Amino acid sequence: MRRLMVTGGAGFIGSNFVRYMLQAHPDYHILVYDKLTYAGRLENLQDVAEIFSDRYTFVRGDICDVALVDSTVEAQDIDTIVNFAAETHVDRSLMEPGSFIQTDVYGTYVLLESARKFGVERYHQVSTDEVYGQVLDGRSTEADHLEPRSPYSASKAAGDLMVLAYQESWGLPVTISRGSNNVGPYQYPEKVVPLFATNAIDEEPLPVYGDGQQMRDYQYVLDHCTGIDTVLHKGVLGEIYNVGTGAEITNMMMTEVVLETLNRPRALILHVADRPGHDRRYALDVSKLRTLGWENQYSCVQAVEKTVRWYADNESWWRPIKSGDTYKSYYAQQYGKRLEDA
Ligand code: NAD
Ligand code: TYD
């Protein structure tokens, strides 16, 4: 493994992964292939482009573009594809599922086909705990059935199944990781922790869906990155690995941590109309990845605190996003009526 193509590398987790991998592996070259949707931003990789200019390349492109994917994989002599590229927000998938099917399913197929055509040595799919569906009791293991319940998670599940089909049908050397909710630097402020942190900084309401008793395993993004690195180097071909802290907290607890970290009052909490089909709980069994020697460094609470402090210290990153028309129109559509009714 020497020449990696990281698709979706300009997004939240992808950009953290690229920075981590270039630091951890001085002999690796990384090509980021990214369409730069609203969530993909070159600013996320500005320091990487400066510090690692000799080992980092950027190509703007869509993973659904067969000709550009093929020519990039071939011309750049790619031996490893790590696919982060996806439409990722559940609420947006309820507004407009089409782009999720296009990128998360068809785009995955295009990458797999290219990997097969050019004999790529490893294809790694970055997936999510949401493919298991809500887990009211116990914890999801990698052998569990997939029961996705949102257009986002259904698209990701379809992507995973296609990856496994390529392994079964053509022996493509694949691995899959299924991560829990990530938090950390450069997460677009539509996801709950950066949304709540930035709203709290501005003393705006924090819109908690429903009763806020839903549970999520909020993991720090770097723990997820080291987990994927572990799977790439020590994972068994054809296998799936869950990545998370293996514990979870309620959204109310997460919200309280955000407010306490910023020293803001509980009066900012506003319970609003719930998300349709809202998964009550995700919970991962991460023992399989631990057998490869991986350990997470941060608990859910520590991950949220660290993330909130990053947003407090990096207003120059998120203020332009939140004051832009794209974000404002999304916010009005998603929260306008909810806030009014509440
Ligand atoms: P993100 O939305 O921040 O970034 C997605 C990136 O993919 C962006 O840079 C975007 O420009 C790019 N992209 C989107 N469509 C593309 C296309 N058609 N062609 C090329 N690039 C395209 O997402 P994220 O939170 O960093 O998630 C990355 C991956 O990790 C996704 O596959 C997601 O399903 C998975 N994941 C996310 C979480 C989480 O909590 N955020 C948890 C587990 C797994
Ligand atoms: P989110 O960050 O959208 O991730 P996911 O739905 O993929 O887990 O949401 C995390 C949790 O926070 C989820 O239970 C929904 C809840 N949530 C709110 O209560 N209010 C919000 O404004 C958002 C965006 C999410």
Side-chain angles (χ1 to χ4, degrees), residues 196-206 263-265 268 319:
F196 282 14
T198 56
N199 278 15
I201 290 168
D202 285 344
E203 305 200 41
E204 297 283 340
L206 312 192
N263 197 22
R264 289 289 190 272
L268 290 178
R319 284 222 181 269

Side-chain angles (χ1 to χ4, degrees), residues 171-192:
L172 194 74
V174 306
T175 41
I176 296 176
S177 54
R178 294 190 177 138
S180 65
N181 287 59
N182 282 223
V183 295
Y186 306 111
Q187 186 170 32
Y188 194 82
E190 64 188 353
K191 305 289 184 338
V192 74

Side-chain angles (χ1 to χ4, degrees), residues 89-91 130 181 190-192 195-196 207-209 214 216 218 251 275 278 282 335:
H89 192 38
V90 175
D91 291 322
E130 303 196 24
N181 287 59
E190 64 188 353
K191 305 289 184 338
V192 74
L195 173 70
F196 282 14
V208 172
Y209 294 157
Q214 307 83 9
R216 295 290 184 271
Y218 294 99
N251 285 336
R275 168 190 282 173
H278 194 170
Y282 301 133
Y335 297 100

Side-chain angles (χ1 to χ4, degrees), residues 276-329:
H278 194 170
D279 286 337
R280 198 73 182 157
R281 176 174 178 264
Y282 301 133
L284 286 178
D285 179 329
V286 295
S287 52
K288 186 171 172 184
L289 183 58
R290 290 205 168 117
T291 62
L292 299 184
W294 170 88
E295 278 298 335
N296 58 301
Q297 290 205 347
Y298 301 94
S299 67
C300 296
V301 169
Q302 289 169 331
V304 173
E305 282 169 353
K306 196 169 162 67
T307 301
V308 171
R309 285 196 291 272
W310 187 86
Y311 281 83
D313 292 343
N314 288 276
E315 294 197 11
S316 63
W317 182 81
W318 57 265
R319 284 222 181 269
I321 296 175
K322 284 195 93 168
S323 58
D325 290 343
T326 313
Y327 187 86
K328 281 187 182 159
S329 77

Side-chain angles (χ1 to χ4, degrees), residues 38-325:
Y38 74 95
R41 317 185 73 81
L42 281 178
E43 304 95 275
N44 299 355
L45 289 165
Q46 202 178 320
D47 59 321
V48 167
E50 285 160 16
I51 300 166
F52 301 104
S53 56
D54 52 335
R55 297 193 286 125
Y56 163 78
T57 312
F58 179 80
V59 172
R60 183 171 192 178
D62 191 328
I63 58 167
C64 301
D65 181 341
V66 176
L68 188 59
V69 167
D70 279 358
S71 62
T72 306
V73 170
E74 189 178 28
Q76 299 286 332
D77 203 15
I78 296 300
D79 54 45
T80 305
I81 295 176
V82 184
N83 179 28
F84 289 89
E87 289 294 339
T88 60
H89 192 38
V90 175
D91 291 322
R92 287 184 195 258
S93 80
L94 294 165
M95 290 173 184
E96 189 269 307
S99 60
F100 288 72
I101 298 164
Q102 185 66 13
T103 291
D104 304 9
V105 186
Y106 182 77
T108 297
Y109 146 74
V110 170
L111 294 173
L112 288 165
E113 195 56 27
S114 194
R116 181 166 85 92
K117 231 180 291 179
F118 298 105
V120 162
E121 290 162 30
R122 175 69 75 88
Y123 177 92
H124 181 79
Q125 178 78 351
V126 180
S127 186
T128 163
D129 59 359
E130 303 196 24
V131 300
Y132 297 117
Q134 62 177 359
V135 187
L136 301 180
D137 298 301
R139 309 194 157 273
S140 305
T141 73
E142 292 83 352
D144 284 2
H145 288 296
L146 304 188
E147 294 182 26
R149 298 169 76 238
S150 74
Y152 164 63
S153 52
S155 304
K156 291 295 292 184
D160 283 16
L161 295 177
M162 195 57 73
V163 172
L164 296 173
Y166 267 69
Q167 201 250 342
E168 290 292 340
S169 308
W170 293 290
L172 194 74
V174 306
T175 41
I176 296 176
S177 54
R178 294 190 177 138
S180 65
N181 287 59
N182 282 223
V183 295
Y186 306 111
Q187 186 170 32
Y188 194 82
E190 64 188 353
K191 305 289 184 338
V192 74
V193 170
L195 173 70
F196 282 14
T198 56
N199 278 15
I201 290 168
D202 285 344
E203 305 200 41
E204 297 283 340
L206 312 192
V208 172
Y209 294 157
D211 63 6
Q213 295 307 313
Q214 307 83 9
M215 301 192 86
R216 295 290 184 271
D217 176 346
Y218 294 99
Q219 68 171 321
Y220 195 63
V221 64
L222 266 184
D223 282 331
H224 188 200
C225 293
T226 58
I228 295 171
D229 190 16
T230 303
V231 173
L232 281 172
H233 289 93
K234 298 185 185 161
V236 175
L237 293 182
E239 292 290 319
I240 299 165
Y241 295 89
N242 290 340
V243 193
T245 72
E248 49 287 328
I249 58 174
T250 63
N251 285 336
M252 285 311 292
M253 189 186 288
M254 172 276 294
T255 305
E256 276 158 22
V257 173
V258 171
L259 291 171
E260 275 162 25
T261 310
L262 293 166
N263 197 22
R264 289 289 190 272
R266 282 184 57 96
L268 290 178
I269 298 174
L270 194 60
H271 289 273
V272 299
D274 209 346
R275 168 190 282 173
H278 194 170
D279 286 337
R280 198 73 182 157
R281 176 174 178 264
Y282 301 133
L284 286 178
D285 179 329
V286 295
S287 52
K288 186 171 172 184
L289 183 58
R290 290 205 168 117
T291 62
L292 299 184
W294 170 88
E295 278 298 335
N296 58 301
Q297 290 205 347
Y298 301 94
S299 67
C300 296
V301 169
Q302 289 169 331
V304 173
E305 282 169 353
K306 196 169 162 67
T307 301
V308 171
R309 285 196 291 272
W310 187 86
Y311 281 83
D313 292 343
N314 288 276
E315 294 197 11
S316 63
W317 182 81
W318 57 265
R319 284 222 181 269
I321 296 175
K322 284 195 93 168
S323 58
D325 290 343

